[in-house]
Amino acid sequence: GLFSLVTFVVSLLFHLFVIQIGVKLNTGIRAEESSPMIKHNFVHSCLQEGLYLAGGSGCVEHNDVEEVGAEGLYMVRSTATVRHNGFRNVKGVGVQIYGQSGGLFENNEIVDCGMQPMAIVQKSSPSVVGNKFFMNVDSETPDPAKTLKNVITHGPDCAAAIHNNLYYVYCKPIGKCFIFKQQR
């Protein structure tokens, strides 16, 4: 009775003040030095990271992260399994894997990121497999080699396994979409 009523009122107030009025959080979901199970969340309109994982492992599945400022996902010193998520309209880097992170990044969608879809840096070595990257370019004929090089950047000290990803490149001037598949 009373607990259900209080829970309803709190969720209603949260919906009214945070979602409708537009209060923006710095980070949507933050997990540090733990093994979280982050599943089935909708993260929208954060100033910095949509999902922030520091240390530990865990599982990040079936989340939608949209319209965030810095990174859709920021992983540092983490070996999490990240699969079946959507990262859309990120102003910075869609996914940043940083600081000796590993883990598995599989079957995710990264759509329209401002700076670049994915960056793997500082001795990180994740497996990046079976993902879909969607991007817009201002060219009539995209260069596959250049396009693929700019999608996932990684430092010389990184040993990332990157293969079987699909790249959808929409050329705005001609209104045509090209699909590239990378295998390596």
Side-chain angles (χ1 to χ4, degrees):
L2 182 61
F3 180 74
S4 297
L5 179 62
V6 170
T7 304
F8 174 75
V9 170
V10 169
S11 67
L12 180 64
L13 290 174
F14 178 80
H15 181 76
L16 287 173
F17 289 105
V18 175
I19 296 172
Q20 293 299 324
I21 296 175
V23 175
K24 291 189 179 186
L25 303 172
N26 268 341
T27 300
I29 297 175
R30 186 178 190 96
E32 295 188 47
E33 306 303 330
S34 64
S35 297
M37 296 292 285
I38 301 172
K39 292 185 172 189
H40 303 286
N41 294 287
F42 179 71
V43 179
H44 186 270
S45 297
C46 296
L47 296 174
Q48 296 296 318
E49 303 90 4
L51 301 173
Y52 179 93
L53 304 175
S57 58
C59 187
V60 179
E61 290 184 354
H62 303 285
N63 298 287
D64 285 309
V65 178
E66 295 184 2
E67 297 181 17
V68 296
E71 291 95 8
L73 170 67
Y74 185 84
M75 283 177 55
V76 59
R77 300 177 323 280
S78 178
T79 57
T81 298
V82 179
R83 60 169 60 120
H84 306 291
N85 299 288
F87 302 94
R88 294 170 188 82
N89 301 319
V90 177
K91 290 183 180 141
V93 178
V95 174
Q96 174 109 295
I97 300 175
Y98 182 82
Q100 301 177 3
S101 291
L104 175 64
F105 191 81
E106 176 182 51
N107 295 328
N108 298 285
E109 287 188 0
I110 298 90
V111 181
D112 289 336
C113 298
M115 291 177 62
Q116 70 187 77
M118 179 178 264
I120 303 169
V121 294
Q122 277 200 344
K123 299 181 182 177
S124 294
S125 58
S127 291
V128 180
V129 182
N131 299 286
K132 294 178 183 173
F133 296 89
F134 297 85
M135 63 209 94
N136 292 308
V137 294
D138 287 324
S139 169
E140 291 185 13
T141 55
D143 176 8
K146 183 179 176 187
T147 300
L148 298 181
K149 180 181 172 193
N150 291 331
V151 173
I152 301 175
T153 61
H154 53 87
D157 58 349
C158 297
I162 303 168
H163 50 89
N164 293 334
N165 296 294
L166 286 174
Y167 305 90
Y168 297 84
V169 181
Y170 181 74
C171 298
K172 289 187 263 186
I174 61 172
K176 197 171 190 180
C177 186
F178 295 88
I179 301 171
F180 303 115
K181 184 171 185 178
Q182 177 185 34
Q183 295 178 340
R184 67 175 188 169

